[in-house]
Amino acid sequence: MTLPQPDLEALAAKAGAIFPAPPSAGLICSADEIFNCAEVTAELAEILKKDGKESDLRKEIVPLLMARRKAAMAQIAASFREQPRAARAMTRSYTWLTDCLVSCAFHVATVRFYPLATPTEAERIALFAVGGYGRGEMAPQSDVDLLFLTPYKITPWAESVIESMLYLLWDLRLKVGHSSRTVKDCLRLGREDFTIRTALLENRFLRGHEPLDEELNTRLEEELFKGTEQEFIEAKLNERDERHNKQGQRYVVEPNVKEGKGGLRDLQSLFWIAKYVYHVSEVSELVEKEVLAQDELERFIEAENFLWAVRGHLHLTAGRPMEQLTFDVQVEIADQMGYSDKGGRRGVEHFMQEFFRQATAVGDLTRILLTKLEANHAKAEPLLERIFRRRPRMKPGYKMVHNRLDVADEKVFLEDPLNLLRLFEEGLRTGMLIHPDAMRLVTANLDLIDDDFRANKEARRLFLDLLLKHGNPERALRRMNELGVLSAFIPEFEPIVAMMQFNMYHSYTVDEHTIQVISNFMDIERKDLEEELPLSSEILASSGINRKALMVAMLLHDIGKGRDIDHSVLGAQIARKVAPNLGLNKADSETVEWLVRYHLLMSDTAQKRDIADPRTVRDFAKAVKTVDRLNLLTILTVCDIRGVGPDTWNNWKAVLLRALYGQTKLVLEDGMEAITRENRGTKAKKLLREELCDWPSKDLKKETARHYEPYWQGLHITAHKVFADLLRDIPDDEIRIDLHPDEDRDATRVCFAMADHPGIFSRMCGALALVGANIVDARTFTSKDGYATAAFWIQDSDDAPYEAARLPRLRKMIERTLAGEVVTTEAIRSRDVIKKRERAFKVPTTILFDNEGSEIYTIIEVDTRDRPGLLFDLTRTLANSNVYIASAVIATFGEQVVDTFYVKDMFGLKFHADSKQKTLEKKLREAIEKGAERANA
């Protein structure tokens, strides 16, 4: 439409009223640095003076506001990086900027494009911010949720205003979510949908017909909110439970800042409930309502500020509305928030420890608020249930409140500080959950757990009984840990609380991992894992194991983590002090110290060494010394591996540990002669003769005479039979392959037989790498008549055996590669890539030469960053250096891999010379560095 020139000039004069005042709480920088209202008013006035169509004027308004928006976003981001923890000022700044843009669009649409001199009652409109925008909490990439409210059914004029505004805001690249409703619509939809009801709860009037604001909020309170508190609470708690089930537990290593357990959404849910029930507009008002104590309010504000700071940096780093703290962005955000490497730990680990501690605080606050709500709004139990449900018998001093264990008299309870431990014992004894009021009482009085408390014999007895007597100590330990009791009683435990290990192997924080380990042990004791863990179950059932020493060792096994030195060594030193302090006698304390010091020994031996080599077993048996220690270490090792993460334990590890246990027990009971090479070889040949009883004796004699001793001790009879078939009448120019699922080991076994020539092992590794196979173990042997036999155990990308349907294609690709149709060094380039989110992990390369671990081979252990083409690069380097590889043992720990090679030189001798070792190490390091550059390119 076209207006007379005087009217246009009058409009320009009024433009100064279009923008909201900056918030009184303050912005991240001065308001004018974000959005200079005076300048924009003047610039806008020049455009509004012009005569022209809406589309033409919008073409001038959009560039003006877009330039202002871009400059403002850059200014807020820069100021936030200078003040990386000023989260609330950051969210207020983004909110105020959005208010300015939205208000400007409203002004232009209602006053310039579609003005009404005398609007009718129906031609009224009010504009509201709802949801997070209504709350005034906006991150850099937050959505803009708007509610257009009209008194009656929407009119053509209102439709035009809304459409005009939305086009303008969309042109400014704002992510706008909108709804157009009457007050009646809001009430009806709010009754039907709790998401809509929650958004309406946080409405904030922006512009337009102000009486509609008063009408909406009055009617929401009177006709929707009042009397429906219980259903709203239940709906929000159900939403929370669904969210937690979807996101996983609090200590997941790549947490979701917004939706995860202990994240921002949990804090927001708390406030929604509090606002709905207690009619507060600020969290601080909950202190006056006696819902939160002052220190709890401070914890709320601290957690909220921290989580919003993290979310703000996450959005800025990703450049999109990303909510998950993936590994790659964790490093960047830790740096932006000022965390640095210190005390043997990376800055990112300090950052994530703080994150998990704040998430725990959110959990505590949730419990506190829900307790108050439960007291005020709990539904009565059905009468029949109250009559017939058996109440647990509690000791004097306790009472049951809403089916939870509470303290009868706080003053009496605190007269004896040991009650701080007795509470948890009573919880385990009765099977009841502890009431949050009792938890608050404990948290507020942790100072009672002092040196005298820790030295008290009764306190020590109570703690050991919690571990040993009630069948589910993990429940008490987890709650004691969250409330700070565990680290108050064992101060040495405090540094590992919420400690995150920045790698892809560990799924839990160190303290949660420790509790998972104890939980695994209890599952074995309860006989819940007899099928999955037959050896551990048998040991516990038959050996009269020292439970006290084992349980304390489990509690302390990782207590030395996070420092500059080997955590096993430091942990043993700490255990030497802590075990007696917990009331263990000298013998048990020494056992605990030994278990902590060597808790990785069995795992490392089984996964990083060739346990078919008698020297490996002999050395392990020497370290363990007794069958009792072997039993304890086996249980600890199994529980430790299973406690790393939900998918860490598999049949492959189980087979290795069972084999090492069986052979070591044999040596400890019958002596080293029981597993000598000669004995093994004789038994293996006898078994093969029995399997091949239908073979002519001439062929059978040839097969049993063609192999050296290591072949007979290094493979199972099933592999010996396969190789016998592959080698029978094999021509020199043929490559024979057998692929077979090895279900006992969760892997596919690939057997090769061919004429031997230099570098053949490396070519096989390359062929398997090209088909995407993950090699977990390998054995290679040369026969006396010049044939190479090699057995590989491989898994697919999901760490599982290859499905039978995929084996023909797998065989074809391997045959093509070995036949030279595919050039491995060229083809591997496209496969040898490290994913972007995994590039933040640093794994220092360590190369060790060991001439003592095997009688006839030098052991080369390469510990470095894993990638698809690594094994091919290493074996090719060894082959080019005339190194004969007898076997390779591959152990993968997330992004870290330990490749162990049993090797000889070209003359069949060990690598004793220091100069040869250094030359070989230099070549291996060069191959690793070049491959890493290629994989990260």
Side-chain angles (χ1 to χ4, degrees), residues 245-309:
N245 289 336
K246 184 178 177 182
Q247 290 293 330
Q249 59 184 348
R250 180 177 296 130
Y251 302 108
V252 65
V253 288
E254 290 185 296
N256 188 303
V257 179
K258 184 180 176 184
E259 304 286 348
K261 193 171 185 179
L264 275 170
R265 186 65 83 208
D266 279 1
L267 273 181
Q268 288 162 357
S269 295
L270 281 186
F271 185 60
W272 290 333
I273 292 171
K275 187 171 185 178
Y276 202 99
V277 174
Y278 296 107
H279 312 289
V280 297
S281 55
E282 298 289 339
V283 183
S284 57
E285 294 172 49
L286 292 175
V287 176
E288 297 165 25
K289 301 273 185 182
E290 298 183 349
V291 177
L292 294 179
Q294 184 61 37
D295 65 314
E296 290 161 350
L297 171 66
E298 289 166 7
R299 287 174 73 196
F300 187 105
I301 292 169
E302 183 186 345
E304 184 182 47
N305 194 67
F306 178 84
L307 292 171
W308 268 110

Side-chain angles (χ1 to χ4, degrees), residues 6 123 137 161 223 241 245 272-273 279 288 310 362 406 490 544 555 590 621 663 680 697 704 731 745-746 774 829 872:
E123 290 173 324
E137 292 179 344
V161 167
E223 299 176 38
D241 292 342
N245 289 336
W272 290 333
I273 292 171
H279 312 289
E288 297 165 25
V310 172
V362 173
D406 201 358
I490 306 174
L555 183 67
E590 287 174 354
Q663 292 177 57
R680 285 184 178 182
S697 58
T704 54
R745 298 189 178 208
D746 274 345
N774 177 28
R829 291 178 184 275
F872 173 64

Side-chain angles (χ1 to χ4, degrees), residues 844-865:
T845 296
T846 307
I847 299 174
L848 301 174
F849 288 79
D850 176 9
N851 281 309
E852 303 301 320
S854 174
E855 291 176 15
I856 54 178
Y857 300 111
T858 291
I859 301 171
I860 303 176
E861 181 181 290
V862 181
D863 185 338
T864 191
R865 177 72 163 83

Side-chain angles (χ1 to χ4, degrees), residues 750-768:
V750 186
C751 293
F752 296 94
M754 66 196 83
D756 190 27
H757 59 269
I760 191 63
F761 184 77
S762 179
R763 285 181 61 196
M764 288 186 267
C765 289
L768 293 170

